[in-house]
Amino acid sequence: SKVPAWPTLDPLASGLLIICTGKETKNIHVYQAQEKEYTGTITLGATTPSYDLETEIDNRFPISELTEENLIQTTNQFTGDIMQKPPIYSAIKKDGKRLYELARAGETTEIKEREVNVQAFELTQIKLPKVDFRIACSKGTYIRSMAHDYGKALNNGGHLSALRRTAIGNYRVENAISLEEFEADFKNI
């Protein structure tokens, strides 16, 4: 069966989104729990408060000392079971409010680290300051946090500048249908 692909709730992201209708909505949790795969771009040499392009750059770092060997070797720190702190600009709730609401209001709050599993973190192209990647990971992994933490591990800075979800479990974006096709099919049911 085919599933639709179009931008997610994150305006900077694109790719695969599984939609459940009718009785299948009872199985949403099954799809959400499956491994995800993403491709995208990390821009090194700069950080942002949101860890992506939603907010302006707040710090800049020289990239002249970054080497291809170091860039590739550092990805090893981010595979397996790792501890990760979600970004303050996230939909996680604290005291009944979403963290991004608090962040946009200028409030700071402590966020606890969580354990996530990253099966793969590969660099697919290096054209500094940008590095393209492929990440396969468990539910709950924040790719924005990976970008931020990766820059930090390089004694530099980094933020997510492009993101595309390419797989959820065995469902792949190349087998998906467009939103328009989905709407047309859904109207004909």
Side-chain angles (χ1 to χ4, degrees):
S1 69
K2 294 197 172 222
V3 291
W6 67 83
T8 64
L9 292 176
D10 182 341
L12 301 172
S14 66
L16 185 66
L17 177 66
I18 294 177
I19 296 179
C20 296
T21 60
K23 292 181 181 178
E24 191 62 19
T25 58
K26 293 177 186 174
N27 293 321
I28 288 173
H29 67 282
V30 174
Y31 298 109
Q32 289 176 331
Q34 294 181 17
E35 178 181 302
K36 314 291 188 299
E37 181 184 87
Y38 298 90
T39 59
T41 304
I42 298 170
T43 300
L44 297 169
T47 59
T48 69
S50 61
Y51 302 168
D52 64 10
L53 295 174
E54 183 181 334
T55 55
E56 296 293 320
I57 290 171
D58 59 357
N59 287 303
R60 293 191 183 276
F61 305 83
I63 59 168
S64 57
E65 294 188 21
L66 296 175
T67 65
E68 185 172 322
E69 181 183 353
N70 192 19
L71 292 172
I72 293 168
Q73 194 173 44
T74 302
T75 63
N76 295 330
Q77 296 177 33
F78 297 94
T79 56
D81 293 328
I82 64 169
M83 296 303 290
Q84 182 185 74
K85 189 179 282 194
I88 190 151
Y89 284 80
S90 67
I92 295 169
K93 284 189 175 181
K94 182 163 187 180
D95 301 328
K97 285 198 168 190
R98 300 216 180 263
L99 290 181
Y100 67 80
E101 293 171 343
L102 298 172
R104 288 177 182 150
E107 296 179 36
T108 57
T109 185
E110 184 59 33
I111 304 170
K112 292 183 180 178
E113 285 189 324
R114 311 168 160 200
E115 185 175 86
V116 296
N117 183 271
V118 178
Q119 293 84 15
F121 181 10
E122 304 167 354
L123 299 185
T124 56
Q125 181 172 288
I126 299 171
K127 285 189 175 180
L128 289 174
K130 297 183 182 293
V131 293
D132 293 344
F133 64 84
R134 182 187 79 85
I135 291 174
C137 57
S138 66
K139 172 188 175 184
T141 305
Y142 281 88
I143 307 302
R144 287 178 291 147
S145 290
M146 294 268 301
H148 176 81
D149 295 345
Y150 178 67
K152 205 172 179 180
L154 290 164
N155 294 316
N156 203 278
H159 61 277
L160 189 64
S161 50
L163 183 65
R164 181 168 178 79
R165 185 164 47 206
T166 54
I168 300 172
N170 292 324
Y171 296 95
R172 303 221 33 105
V173 72
E174 56 267 19
N175 299 325
I177 60 174
S178 70
L179 176 58
E180 292 77 22
E181 290 173 282
F182 174 76
E183 287 176 333
D185 289 350
F186 192 72
K187 287 177 184 175
N188 293 328
I189 294 178

